[in-house]
Amino acid sequence: MRFRLKIGAYFVLLLVLFSCGISKSIHHQPIVEGYKQEVPMVLKHSDTLFSSGDNYLIKNKQKLWELYVSGDALERGKVIGALSQPLIQKQERIFFSKIKEIVPSKFKQRLLRQFLKWYNRKMYLNVSEEYKTEIYGLSQYASEEYNFIALKYLRSLYLHSAHDIGHALQDLALVGCSSVAVWGDKSQDGQLLIGRNFDFYAGDEFAQDKIISFVKPTQGHPFMSVSWGGMIGVVSGMNLQGLTVTINAGKSEIPMVAKTPISILAREILQYASDIEGAISIAKTRKVFVSESIMVGSAKDKKAVLIEVSPEKFDVYEVSNNNTLICSNHFQSEAYRKDERNLKQIKESHSQYRFDKMKEVLAEDLVMNPKKMAELLRNTDGLKGKSLGYGNEKALNQLLAHHGIIFKPESKLVWVSSNPYQLGEFVAYDLGKIFNKKSNDFVVLGTESLNIAKDDFLNSKAYADYENYRIQDRVLDKAIQEKETVTADFVSEYQNLNPEFWHVYFKAGKYYYEKGWFKAAEIEFSKALTKEVTTVPDQERIENYLKKSKRKQR
């Protein structure tokens, strides 16, 4: 009895601590005193131009939204929220609809909400007051519809860790971002040149309304970044000092508590650092909860480095006697050379393959310029020109990127891709001109004469077939999930739309296997193994299905 009482008391204590930890978090309020309290007035000029004072949101002909905003933390947040409210609410709807799709059970949704409140209980302690205040201002324009998940401020704060949480809990980070920097004799004019694909996919609709933000804060450096409605963090950006930041996810252990979201750390570096030393200094002050390579390029240093962070380790990787820095989704610094998780990532994922492909392209193109960098980011081939099938994550261009971006820091130039993926026109932006423009001049901010043309691939039959394949792929998924029947002709036509991609044969094999047609399944799984399979776990999964299909025929 005494033992039971002790266990019961211990359990009650845990509940109290659990509730206390959550209570402090959910009742936390950011600092708003001392800031301008005015509610922004928005003037609608057209369906593609909105202004508030000197701040404005405009849609260019490439269908990218350009946001120009200045002020203190609360002012910025409110203005961003007021100008982009429809975009913020649309992104919320898309994100939470995706969660509902993944977790259809209402009971499990309630459990997930409680888990996230507990998991994020210390996040507010690891985000600076400035950014909490900015997020608070922005959150006033979020939807009331999702208050059952969390109230608007807390929900907006949580959404800044969506990348990290998805990465940590499901290894969704292994959607593979690729980055490369060249300078000196590897660059056509000797200047530092950086290219990167942000291969984050949350559905086609999520990527429709990209926002190119140009922010002029009262403290720190003016900067640009590529984001979406409701996001003040940075995944790709450059400041007026010519300092660039991009993030590439690494292999993570599942952490027990959320701390500083990587995008918030990247934002702090971009706003307050002017060189590599300053970026490293800021990164050392923050506790993160996932593993990430942060590529920092610097006009002042005329080179780029990787700041490699994780909950347990910190290191900086820079090349010696070389003017090329390549980054995919594994670590390269000394601190991680013997790290088991990192070694497994190199061995089993598609990270090393993309790394080697970038090396191969750079060896063929002895010097790079922005146009050649765009060609590298758009490359769909495997090593030695091998056909991977479209959508294979071994490709630099996986045909799912949220955006591709190119930086020329010493010239303060940035190129951002327009839809679809990184195939559309790369729009050029000159930060020197943009941050010195006249007030109340509500014009598109790109420098059209420097744009990089859209990829010819967009006009090809192969591209049209790929988009059709994506539609049919969802049809086959539904048939497998709901045990429906499709025709043999459907399967054949589906495979002919993307014949070099292993997945079309694996998916057909899985369909036949679930139907109990084991000989047909065996044939398809065998075909899949003749193609370039993305990862070691994928290879093992196909081989396991093949063995089971053969065994079922005995």
Side-chain angles (χ1 to χ4, degrees):
M1 177 65 73
R2 187 177 297 174
F3 177 75
R4 288 181 181 177
L5 285 172
K6 283 183 179 179
I7 292 295
Y10 181 66
F11 182 66
V12 169
L13 178 62
L14 280 178
L15 284 176
V16 170
L17 292 173
F18 177 84
S19 301
C20 182
I22 292 178
S23 178
K24 287 181 180 179
S25 171
I26 62 178
H27 291 104
H28 164 74
Q29 288 295 304
I31 295 170
V32 294
E33 295 80 14
Y35 290 104
K36 296 177 182 178
Q37 301 293 326
E38 291 87 353
V39 175
M41 299 298 294
V42 175
L43 179 62
K44 180 179 178 179
H45 301 264
S46 70
D47 289 341
T48 58
L49 175 59
F50 306 84
S51 69
S52 179
D54 292 340
N55 308 292
Y56 67 102
L57 178 71
I58 190 169
K59 197 173 196 178
N60 63 26
K61 70 179 185 180
Q62 291 83 9
K63 299 184 179 180
L64 297 172
W65 288 100
E66 298 172 352
L67 174 69
Y68 185 93
V69 64
S70 61
D72 62 36
L74 186 61
E75 187 179 11
R76 289 193 308 266
K78 286 184 174 180
V79 169
I80 292 169
L83 288 173
S84 59
Q85 185 173 30
L87 302 180
I88 292 170
Q89 295 190 0
K90 179 182 177 182
Q91 295 303 90
E92 272 200 299
R93 175 180 58 76
I94 294 166
F95 183 80
F96 290 119
S97 295
K98 197 73 176 174
I99 296 296
K100 190 175 180 181
E101 181 184 317
I102 296 168
V103 187
S105 163
K106 289 188 177 181
F107 174 70
K108 289 181 180 178
Q109 288 172 17
R110 286 196 296 272
L111 288 179
L112 179 62
R113 289 198 297 272
Q114 292 306 313
F115 167 75
L116 289 175
K117 286 177 184 177
W118 174 78
Y119 190 78
N120 288 318
R121 67 195 183 278
K122 291 189 178 180
M123 187 186 297
Y124 76 102
L125 299 172
N126 289 278
V127 176
S128 73
E129 292 297 337
E130 177 183 6
Y131 299 139
K132 286 186 289 190
T133 300
E134 186 172 342
I135 290 169
Y136 175 82
L138 181 150
S139 73
Q140 304 311 297
Y141 298 87
S143 172
E144 299 282 349
E145 183 180 350
Y146 302 105
N147 284 354
F148 71 95
I149 295 172
L151 294 180
K152 293 192 288 188
Y153 162 64
L154 206 59
R155 197 169 74 238
S156 297
L157 183 63
Y158 289 172
L159 283 172
H160 281 79
S161 69
H163 162 82
D164 309 64
I165 291 173
H167 165 173
L169 299 185
Q170 295 187 37
D171 267 338
L172 295 182
L174 305 187
V175 174
C177 301
S178 304
S179 307
V180 62
V182 297
W183 59 93
D185 62 356
K186 298 295 184 182
S187 172
Q188 188 167 288
D189 58 5
Q191 289 191 21
L192 175 61
L193 185 68
I194 299 167
R196 92 79 130 252
N197 284 332
F198 183 60
D199 291 321
F200 176 76
Y201 182 75
D204 293 346
E205 200 178 6
F206 184 85
Q208 283 175 358
D209 292 297
K210 285 184 271 289
I211 299 176
I212 320 302
S213 299
F214 299 88
V215 181
K216 201 170 186 179
T218 50
Q219 294 181 310
H221 308 298
F223 65 90
M224 69 75 60
S225 71
V226 185
S227 62
W228 47 86
M231 174 73 159
I232 71 152
V234 169
V235 295
S236 305
M238 182 169 83
N239 68 25
L240 195 53
Q241 300 294 307
L243 186 96
T244 71
V245 177
T246 61
I247 59 176
N248 283 41
K251 186 76 171 177
S252 276
E253 185 179 18
I254 297 176
M256 293 305 295
V257 63
K259 294 184 180 177
T260 306
I262 289 294
S263 69
I264 293 293
L265 171 57
R267 161 71 186 270
E268 189 173 1
I269 291 171
L270 202 60
Q271 186 175 342
Y272 288 103
S274 60
D275 55 20
I276 290 170
E277 184 180 354
I280 294 169
S281 179
I282 290 170
K284 283 181 175 177
T285 67
R286 295 297 173 193
K287 295 178 181 178
V288 300
F289 63 104
V290 293
S291 303
E292 205 89 14
S293 288
I294 305 172
M295 182 179 278
V296 177
S298 168
K300 290 184 178 179
D301 298 293
K302 301 182 187 299
K303 66 177 183 180
V305 303
L306 298 175
I307 301 175
E308 298 184 337
V309 298
S310 73
E312 306 92 12
K313 299 175 185 177
F314 182 99
D315 208 346
V316 177
Y317 177 75
E318 53 185 311
V319 292
S320 56
N321 303 316
N322 195 347
N323 292 337
T324 301
L325 179 65
I326 297 171
C327 179
S328 49
N329 295 101
H330 61 268
F331 294 133
Q332 302 174 63
S333 62
E334 192 61 38
Y336 296 91
R337 286 198 185 278
K338 295 182 180 179
D339 184 273
E340 289 183 12
R341 224 172 277 114
N342 190 50
L343 292 172
K344 185 177 181 183
Q345 170 79 337
I346 293 169
K347 181 181 177 182
E348 296 188 354
S349 79
H350 42 76
S351 180
Q352 185 67 49
Y353 193 95
R354 284 181 287 107
F355 187 95
D356 292 341
K357 180 61 183 179
M358 285 185 274
K359 282 178 65 177
E360 181 182 83
V361 172
L362 292 170
E364 293 167 357
D365 285 319
L366 297 180
V367 292
M368 298 292 286
N369 58 34
K371 187 173 181 294
K372 285 184 177 180
M373 188 65 80
E375 289 171 0
L376 181 149
L377 297 179
R378 290 166 168 172
N379 192 303
T380 58
D381 292 335
L383 290 168
K384 298 180 180 178
K386 183 171 184 177
S387 180
L388 299 173
Y390 298 113
N392 194 322
E393 290 172 302
K394 280 188 168 179
L396 299 179
N397 176 9
Q398 301 167 19
L399 294 171
L400 53 68
H402 181 271
H403 63 267
I405 191 165
I406 300 166
F407 301 104
K408 199 173 182 185
E410 291 163 71
S411 299
K412 309 298 190 289
L413 292 173
V414 184
W415 288 262
V416 181
S417 68
S418 55
N419 286 336
Y421 321 117
Q422 64 275 63
L423 299 176
E425 189 173 9
F426 272 80
V427 181
Y429 296 100
D430 184 330
L431 267 59
K433 290 181 180 178
I434 290 168
F435 287 115
N436 284 293
K437 76 178 192 66
K438 295 178 183 178
S439 300
N440 295 313
D441 191 8
F442 305 136
V443 295
V444 292
L445 296 167
T447 302
E448 190 169 2
S449 61
L450 296 177
N451 287 1
I452 299 170
K454 68 178 184 179
D455 196 329
D456 291 339
F457 177 60
L458 281 173
N459 301 319
S460 69
K461 181 179 182 298
Y463 175 72
D465 283 348
Y466 172 73
E467 288 299 320
N468 196 15
Y469 147 77
R470 295 179 70 230
I471 295 169
Q472 304 295 22
D473 192 54
R474 291 190 282 270
V475 172
L476 193 53
D477 277 338
K478 183 173 180 289
I480 295 169
Q481 185 177 352
E482 299 183 10
K483 302 188 185 306
E484 297 174 350
T485 300
V486 297
T487 66
D489 285 345
F490 174 88
V491 173
S492 177
E493 289 167 7
Y494 161 74
Q495 292 177 333
N496 287 336
L497 292 170
N498 199 0
E500 295 303 318
F501 192 22
W502 68 272
H503 211 253
V504 299
Y505 305 103
F506 171 72
K507 191 73 68 75
K510 192 174 177 185
Y511 168 74
Y512 291 140
Y513 184 88
E514 295 298 328
K515 287 289 184 183
W517 303 336
F518 301 117
K519 183 59 182 177
E522 177 191 343
I523 292 169
E524 297 301 333
F525 292 134
S526 296
K527 285 180 186 175
L529 291 171
T530 68
K531 304 300 179 182
E532 190 70 47
V533 179
T534 307
T535 66
V536 171
D538 287 330
Q539 180 91 11
E540 290 173 347
R541 190 157 51 119
I542 300 167
E543 290 170 350
N544 187 42
Y545 264 110
L546 181 59
K547 286 177 185 176
K548 289 195 294 184
S549 297
K550 288 178 177 179
R551 194 161 57 242
K552 293 279 188 181
Q553 295 175 63
R554 291 173 190 165

